[in-house]
Amino acid sequence: MAQTDQIPGRQSPAGKPTGSGPPGTATDSTGNSTGNGAAGRSKALSWWGRARRDKILLLMALPGLLLLLLFHYLPLLGNLIAFQEYLPFVPLGRSAWVGWDNFTVIFNGDTEFLNALKNTLLITIVQVVFVFPAPIALALLLNSLLSERIKRIVQSVLYLPHFLSWVIVVAIFQQMLGGSGLINNFLRSHGMGTIDFLGNPDGFIALLTSQVIWKDTGWATILFLAALSQIDPGLYEAARVDGASRWRQLWHVTVPGIRSLIILLLILRLGDSLSVGFEQIILQQNLVGRPASEVLDTYVYNNGVLAGQWGVSAAVGLVKGLVGVALVIGANKVAHIFGEPGVYKK
């Protein structure tokens, strides 16, 4: 007696395959998928449907989003005072509007502003050259350690300075390098002349750079160590089979493996390039004087909070933020040209 039920994979009497599509899909009379599976349903979801599906994740992200709105985006409304003759005791919208007058220190090249800009750019260039590569080199050294126990101990020691405030860091450097610090006391006890490490304007940028390296290099290695751990060990084995030395493996396997992360962090660093550490500098500004240590952040503080030129300081801060945004967008476009995703994709 002939079977009347069709079995998946067999042909129908008309010679058409039935039920031969991938799991979760249906086929029509011509054998084509109708797209009624999971993939088809996910594509058909509306924005509201996706929100309902991911509601738990959205609720978890809600506190962070509220903090971002309250403390980062809402204060942007305060940039209105860049176009006003602002006085703190007058309501925000009632101060006299002065248009672009507050920007004349930028357009006309005010001496004090140009000095702050020059110092900011010099510190930025030095820190990009010396500070930015430091965690990369340290991560490569830590990654080469064979003992996991030693690696964890070294990492823990290197992470600790990051959790110290700049007040403590500056105090430590003063105890070491100050006029009555450890090094000068040693020189004095051996009949040698002392060295003015902290009050020398010519060495101020080197002092700032050394402080940043000591404080933040260990913490900055976390991302690079995570990226190094994702590199396929088989690539190193293949390179060794081909006779590649350690340096060749570093250049042809390790560096390409973390190149995208390096470019991403470099772009973000460029966006923050005009902010070079307000707290660190203001704590040491009296030692070297404003001509050698004034940067854009301290310029805004000294002329706004201390001197009462709120509108001018807000104008400088606004231009600084816009330049940072332009640098991020421009650097991201360059990254796209070289085939890297950058901060955001096209």
Side-chain angles (χ1 to χ4, degrees):
M1 187 173 181
Q3 293 282 349
T4 57
D5 296 330
Q6 292 184 356
I7 300 176
R10 293 188 178 180
Q11 289 188 345
S12 64
K16 304 289 186 179
T18 61
S20 57
T25 60
T27 55
D28 56 15
S29 59
T30 62
N32 296 324
S33 174
T34 59
N36 292 327
R41 287 194 301 271
S42 63
K43 290 182 179 179
L45 280 178
S46 63
W47 181 89
W48 179 247
R50 293 195 299 270
R52 291 183 61 186
R53 180 193 62 190
D54 301 329
K55 60 183 178 181
I56 301 299
L57 294 176
L58 294 176
L59 288 174
M60 292 174 62
L62 185 59
L65 179 61
L66 291 177
L67 290 175
L68 190 66
L69 291 175
L70 288 175
F71 294 101
H72 287 272
Y73 288 99
L74 189 60
L76 290 177
L77 298 175
N79 285 318
L80 288 175
I81 69 176
F83 305 93
Q84 295 177 333
E85 189 177 353
Y86 177 73
L87 296 174
F89 50 83
V90 177
L92 182 61
R94 296 184 183 179
S95 298
W97 293 90
V98 296
W100 297 94
D101 291 350
N102 290 326
F103 294 84
T104 54
V105 296
I106 301 173
F107 300 145
N108 295 339
D110 178 71
T111 304
E112 189 177 355
F113 168 77
L114 291 179
N115 179 65
L117 179 62
K118 181 196 72 174
N119 291 336
T120 302
L121 294 178
L122 284 175
I123 294 174
T124 297
I125 293 172
V126 171
Q127 292 192 358
V128 168
V129 173
F130 293 100
V131 176
F132 183 78
I136 302 175
L138 182 59
L140 294 175
L141 290 174
L142 290 175
N143 191 61
S144 64
L145 293 177
L146 298 179
S147 174
E148 290 294 329
R149 182 179 179 182
I150 296 178
K151 183 186 298 185
R152 286 195 299 268
I153 294 174
V154 173
Q155 284 177 304
S156 301
V157 173
L158 293 174
Y159 292 166
L160 286 178
H162 174 77
F163 299 99
L164 301 177
S165 69
W166 275 115
V167 176
I168 298 176
V169 172
V170 171
I172 292 174
F173 271 76
Q174 287 178 347
Q175 293 297 320
M176 296 293 296
L177 305 176
S180 58
L182 182 63
I183 294 179
N184 278 323
N185 280 336
F186 175 80
L187 296 176
R188 194 178 294 112
S189 63
H190 287 76
M192 293 181 285
T194 60
I195 303 174
D196 188 10
F197 292 104
L198 303 181
N200 183 11
D202 296 331
F204 184 66
I205 295 179
L207 175 66
L208 294 179
T209 304
S210 62
Q211 290 172 346
V212 174
I213 291 176
W214 182 80
K215 183 178 187 295
D216 290 330
T217 297
W219 181 258
T221 58
I222 292 177
L223 291 176
F224 294 105
L225 287 173
L228 289 171
S229 66
Q230 299 301 314
I231 299 177
D232 185 5
L235 297 176
Y236 292 102
E237 296 177 3
R240 285 193 292 269
V241 169
D242 292 338
S245 62
R246 294 289 296 271
W247 286 107
R248 287 288 184 180
Q249 295 175 39
L250 174 67
W251 184 253
H252 294 287
V253 179
T254 306
V255 172
I258 61 175
R259 182 175 57 194
S260 297
L261 177 62
I262 293 175
I263 293 176
L264 171 62
L265 295 180
L266 182 59
I267 292 174
L268 295 177
R269 180 67 185 88
L270 288 176
D272 200 34
S273 59
L274 298 183
S275 299
V276 289
F278 166 77
E279 185 179 1
Q280 177 193 11
I281 295 175
I282 203 69
L283 289 170
Q284 305 173 89
Q285 195 167 65
N286 292 332
L287 297 174
V288 295
R290 289 180 60 178
S293 62
E294 189 82 312
V295 295
L296 291 179
D297 287 335
T298 59
Y299 176 88
V300 170
Y301 172 76
N302 289 323
N303 289 274
V305 178
L306 299 185
Q309 298 180 5
W310 303 94
V312 174
S313 299
V316 173
L318 177 59
V319 171
K320 188 189 78 168
L322 294 176
V323 170
V325 173
L327 287 175
V328 169
I329 295 176
N332 205 72
K333 294 292 184 182
V334 175
H336 290 166
I337 294 175
F338 289 95
E340 296 292 337
V343 179
Y344 58 88
K345 295 183 180 180
K346 294 182 180 179

